[in-house]
Amino acid sequence: MENYKKIIEDIYFEIKTIDDTGEIANYIPELANVSDHNFGIHITTIDNESFGIGDFDKKFSIQSVSKVFALTLAYKFEDAKLWERVGIEPSGNPFNSLLQLETDYGKPRNPFINSGAIVICDVLLSHLKNPKEDFLNFCKELSNNSSLNYNEKVAQSEKKSGYRNSALCNFIKSFGNIKNDVDEVLDFYFHICSLEMSCKELSKISLFLADDNFTSHKGNKILTMSQAKRVNAILLTCGFYDESGEFAFRVGLPGKSGVGGGIVAVHPDKYCIAVWSPKLNKKGNSYKGMLFLETFTTKTASSIF
Ligand code: GLU
């Protein structure tokens, strides 16, 4: 940890003051109320050593990062059958694109673009009695953290402006790949996106993807080794919208970003690291977050490649 700590500090101060060419997401009005000066980093190793700097303890809207936990829960329920509903290929298109759904007959390319996550939410609705509460409880178990919660204001703000997601959900339903009521699926989707965490919490909750021996505090194994391998593989190839290749090229770790400006990256058998800086590049990924992680894996020689 000492080695990581010094490197994280150096890069943090190096990047903190650079000119950030990104822009804060404002298509969900409530997200635009966050100060763009926030910048935090937190690393947690599989030995449970940890270190954070900057705004690492402030909660933010994790948005699409929650798609990782939704996929994990749906995968536990459905195992390989899940891939009949959603694919595992990068889309090469923006996160909210409708384009490929028509030629793919309503089967989203992967679980990390909006269409894919909406189908995952539909799968979860078919399994969970109280979907919002049960999903939140699953995240609490994953992280051993009872303070996790949705941000109702963010969920409602996205609901009011969620024309794109509404179009995606209705379009997929027309192909028969949404089984539940469209409004219920969307309400659940907007809530899971509104989940809030700090970098510290995000790096901790993701440990089940880095540590083969991970069991929750309730003694439950979350994913089998093979399932964790597959989730990490999809994170590497699809975790950053149509910039997934760029992230693998520059950072070299499986990971997931969200339009709240958070990124979590996983080094299997070593650590999880979360970065938050709200200004996004043109592809919707945190500008400073990507730069930080690129420098970090380069200086620590700790990409998976
Ligand atoms: N709730 C956001 C949306 O559906 C999530 C997008 C993201 O973080 O990539 O647009």
Side-chain angles (χ1 to χ4, degrees), residues 6-21:
K6 169 87 180 76
I7 292 175
I8 290 172
E9 278 170 346
D10 289 350
I11 311 171
Y12 171 80
F13 288 113
E14 193 181 304
I15 292 183
K16 189 175 155 65
T17 50
I18 60 158
D19 188 25
D20 189 334
T21 58

Side-chain angles (χ1 to χ4, degrees), residues 27-28 62-65 67 95-96 112 114 158 165 189-190 193 241 256-260:
Y27 74 100
I28 301 173
I62 68 166
Q63 291 294 318
S64 273
V65 182
K67 292 171 181 168
F95 65 98
N96 56 4
F112 296 142
N114 287 11
E158 182 164 12
N165 289 317
Y189 172 77
F190 295 140
C193 288
Y241 321 119
K256 184 75 200 86
S257 61
V259 293

Side-chain angles (χ1 to χ4, degrees), residues 257-271:
S257 61
V259 293
I263 298 180
V264 66
V266 179
H267 194 310
D269 300 327
K270 284 198 174 137
Y271 60 75

